[in-house]
């Protein structure tokens, strides 16, 4: 058993914090990650990867992409020249410093500490004398970014992100101070927060933050400094939202006052950061009105707007929550940042209410839709986390908007902070991962040692070692999934409603315990060597969605313990999974494979692959073994097909295309994009031109150009008819049906227009069919003229 090493500076700072903590706060307090040493085979390697690979990588990227230069330019230490894309690029540096601070607390690294110190110096030099810190303005570029107003703050409710930058600065400064005891970044944050206090408030600047996060940042600065002005300002920023003085918008939750909001709407990251901030301000001020709002919003999300993977924000249109039960799989947005924000929010809800249902949701996010955001090599990332793919999704090494990347680096090292919590002599065990933790209760100090095979096995041993024998209460969370509850609502349910009984013992004896708010509660006098042993039945469950979730009709998902599974191409016959059908009563087996994807439990069942055939609507079926991997691990072996929701009804599967002229053709185009080319001949019938659930080809952001697509046939054919289904995502998107199009056939080395016998039409939501005098040829080409102001796309192209 390894001992936790805590630097003296950190102990001093934590003591200082506790000395100042006389104000109201959450009734339950988390046990800080610095007191919990995780030593398991699941999380520890992932956190080490983050510290050793991802943090240095992101720091290097911040340098390479000019994010560090932005600060040097603001300090007049280099010419302005070309600057980065977004006014919020400063926050990537703040977030990676936050991550590095956490990592330094877990393991000393003088080289990293020196880098962080020198970056803080660079940040300090970019701060204006009155505390303003926003490189995009301070560097005085020849032309201000279009999101920025001439005067400070004015465009913050829209897009300037000045207050968003401040919020992430405060989060980073709080982490850096608590982890290292150094005040260098904290002083920069305080100077900036003092400026905000001076500039904002009743009778002063009355703008709300366009992208929330400063509210929770201010709450953290208030906890550290005890300056009530910071808490008042956080409350002010919440209370002016939607007060009618500036026109608000659902997009950033300013359409009505926050206390009148009862449904989750708009941009999901903004929303979840705001709900977190509302919880913080409610805890620190005792204002119940915020709580009433976020209690309702939480129910709305968990009942109608969360994916089985824990992802939120169904639509890329505004990176936003969709309508109730609008949870499409292939076009799911489910941004990694939104998952992180949702963990923050659910943790606060638990600290407020002490109910395990919030940790059930938190655990679901953590092991699935959040963890999927980072690759196993630590340097590839997902921004959206879809639940199905035709191969169009691929992890990226970087995004010009890098929010999710820097967010993951700061989140990973903080995970041990979600394992335990306390309220006086009530100790909560929330998450299961092997660790050793040192916790101070009023009655005694206690060392807890957890040993478990989680998340693959449900055995958990909790050794409770008080410094001296004392009475206190241990609340051990019984996960919802171990009680046949897929989620604390009727949005998802397990097909098998019968729960396998739990086994819990203390010192090898069955003892009486109460179940309270989802916890097994043990109130006794504990002494060194006491052991709680628990066996959580980790049966393989088939999950069904609420009937109103249209995309999941006729489908089930697989879950074992907290882990949600998916089918992925490399494990299944013919590298396809969209065509698979598995009977709802099929027996599913599981086995642990050390060598696969860093060591995972794989599931398998008998199923069928389906394919279309010519001249018949009946599907061809072929038996095969169907294999599933944990969802979080997908897309680590290249792009390819994937799905979480597996059809048990043939009609909802996407059978392999029948061998037609088109499906046997080689596709090329003026796009040179093999993934998009697959769209044209996949025989998927779009619901309408704006169907995002299928693969489509598009020329966005080009406009007013002439483009082409081409089929090279497998052999010479005589053809006389072609049909095209256009992609058009108007009025919000950038694609429309084309201005015009024309078909050519290959004659020797020349492209010759076909002799069409009906006119070319251009239609939305249906096929445009053109018939022509039969030609014998080896290739066809369509020339597409894009509209003057828009791009165009194509769903399907049929040849007869
Ligand atoms: Zn993001």
């Amino acid at each position: 058993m390894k001992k936790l090493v805590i630097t003296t500076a950190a102990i001093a700072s934590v003591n200082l914090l506790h000395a100042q903590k006389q104000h109201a706060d959450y009734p339950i307090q988390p046990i800080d990650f610095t007191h919990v040493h995780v030593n398991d085979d699941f999380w520890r390697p992932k956190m080490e990867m983050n510290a050793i690979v991802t943090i240095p990588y992101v720091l290097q990227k911040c340098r390479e992409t000019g994010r560090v230069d932005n600060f040097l330019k603001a300090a007049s230490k280099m010419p302005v020249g070309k600057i980065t894309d977004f006014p919020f690029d400063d926050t990537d540096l703040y977030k990676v410093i936050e991550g590095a601070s956490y990592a330094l607390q877990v393991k000393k690294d003088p080289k990293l500490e020196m880098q962080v110190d020198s970056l803080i110096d660079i940040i300090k030099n970019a701060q204006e004398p009155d505390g303003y810190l926003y490189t995009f303005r301070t560097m005085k570029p020849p032309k201000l970014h279009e999101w920025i107003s001439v005067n400070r703050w004015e465009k913050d409710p829209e897009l300037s992100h000045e207050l968003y930058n401040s919020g992430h600065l405060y989060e980073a400064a709080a982490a850096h101070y608590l982890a290292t005891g150094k005040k260098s970044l904290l002083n920069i944050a305080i100077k900036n927060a003092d400026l905000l206090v001076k500039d904002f408030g009743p009778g002063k600047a009355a703008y709300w933050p366009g992208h929330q996060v400063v509210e929770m940042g201010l709450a953290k600065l208030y906890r550290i400094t005890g300056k009530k002005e910071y808490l008042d300002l956080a409350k002010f920023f919440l209370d002016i939202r939607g007060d009618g003085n500036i026109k608000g918008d659902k997009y950033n939750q300013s359409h009505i006052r926050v206390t009148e909001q009862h449904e989750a709407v708009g941009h999901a990251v903004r929303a979840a950061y705001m709900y977190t901030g509302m919880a913080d301000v409610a805890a620190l001020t005792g204002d119940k009105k915020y709580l009433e709002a976020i209690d309702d919003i939480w129910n709305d999300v968990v009942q109608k707007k969360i994916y089985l993977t824990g992802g939120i924000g169904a639509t890329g249109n505004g990176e936003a929550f969709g309508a109730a039960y609008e949870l499409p799989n292939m076009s799911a947005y489910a941004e990694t940042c939104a998952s992180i924000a949702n963990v923050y929010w659910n943790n606060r809800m638990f600290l407020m209410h002490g109910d395990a249902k919030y940790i059930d949701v938190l655990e679901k996010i953590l092991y699935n839709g959040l963890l999927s955001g980072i690759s196993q090599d630590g340097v590839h990332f997902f921004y959206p986390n879809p639940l199905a793919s035709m191969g169009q999704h691929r992890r990226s090494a970087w995004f010009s908007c890098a929010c999710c990347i820097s967010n993951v680096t700061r989140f990973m090292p903080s995970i041990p902070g979600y394992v335990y919590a306390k309220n006086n002599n009530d100790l909560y065990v929330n998450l299961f991962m092997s660790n050793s933790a040192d916790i101070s209760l009023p009655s005694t100090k206690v060392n807890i040692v957890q040993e478990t095979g989680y998340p693959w096995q449900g055995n958990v041993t909790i050794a409770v070692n008080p410094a001296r024998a004392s009475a206190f209460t241990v609340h051990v969370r019984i996960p919802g999934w171990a009680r046949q509850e897929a989620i604390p609502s009727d949005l998802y349910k397990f097909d098998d409603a019968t729960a396998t009984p739990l086994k819990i013992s203390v010192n090898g004896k069955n003892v009486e315990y109460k179940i309270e708010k989802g916890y097994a509660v043990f109130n006794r006098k504990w002494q060194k060597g006491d052991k709680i042993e628990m066996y959580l039945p980790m049966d393989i469950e088939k999950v069904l969605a609420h009937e109103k979730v249209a995309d999941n009709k006729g489908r089930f998902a697989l879950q074992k313990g907290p882990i949600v599974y998916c089918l992925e191409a490399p494990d299944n016959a013919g590298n396809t999974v969209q065509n698979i059908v598995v009977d709802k009563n099929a027996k599913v087996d599981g086995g642990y494979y050390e060598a696969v994807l860093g060591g995972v439990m794989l599931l398998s069942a008998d199923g069928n692959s389906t394919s279309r055939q010519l001249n018949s609507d009946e599907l061809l079926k072929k038996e095969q073994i169907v294999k599933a991997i944990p969802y979080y691990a997908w897309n680590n072996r290249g792009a390819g097909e994937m799905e979480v929701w597996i059809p048990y009804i043939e009609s909802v599967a996407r059978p392999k295309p029948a061998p037609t002229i088109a499906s046997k053709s080689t596709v090329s185009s003026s796009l040179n994009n093999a993934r998009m080319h697959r769209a044209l001949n996949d025989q998927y019938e779009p619901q309408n031109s704006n169907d995002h659930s299928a693969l489509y080809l598009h020329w966005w952001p080009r406009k007013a150009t002439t483009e082409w697509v081409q089929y090279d046939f497998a052999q010479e054919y005589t053809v006389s008819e072609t049909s095209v289904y256009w992609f058009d995502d108007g009025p919000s998107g950038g694609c429309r049906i084309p201005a015009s199009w024309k078909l050519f056939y290959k004659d020797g080395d020349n492209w010759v227009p076909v002799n069409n016998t009906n006119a070319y039409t251009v239609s939305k939501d249906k096929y445009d069919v053109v018939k022509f005098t039969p030609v014998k040829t080896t290739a066809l080409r369509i020339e597409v003229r894009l509209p003057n102001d828009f791009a165009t796309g194509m769903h399907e192209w049929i040849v007869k």
Side-chain angles (χ1 to χ4, degrees), residues 172-240:
H176 181 252
Y177 168 65
L178 294 176
T180 65
K182 293 183 188 173
K183 288 190 169 173
S184 47
L185 193 58
L186 182 65
N187 287 337
I188 298 171
I190 288 175
K191 199 170 168 188
N192 183 263
D194 288 344
L195 173 71
L196 261 52
V197 168
K198 182 174 141 283
D199 281 3
F200 289 91
K204 298 186 267 183
Y207 305 117
W208 62 69
H211 193 314
Q212 300 88 326
V213 78
V214 71
E215 303 82 357
M216 52 199 268
L218 282 165
K220 280 189 183 159
L221 285 191
Y222 166 62
R223 284 200 186 94
I224 290 171
T225 63
K227 277 196 191 177
K228 185 156 177 298
E229 300 94 304
Y230 297 163
L231 177 61
D232 293 343
L233 184 60
K235 186 168 174 356
F236 172 78
F237 280 145
L238 290 173
D239 292 345
I240 55 160

Side-chain angles (χ1 to χ4, degrees), residues 95 164 269 319 335-338 382-383 401-405 407:
K95 281 185 270 180
Y164 175 75
V269 182
E319 306 184 321
E335 184 180 339
T336 304
C337 281
F382 269 139
Y383 192 119
C401 169
C403 55
C404 296
I405 298 175
N407 228 349

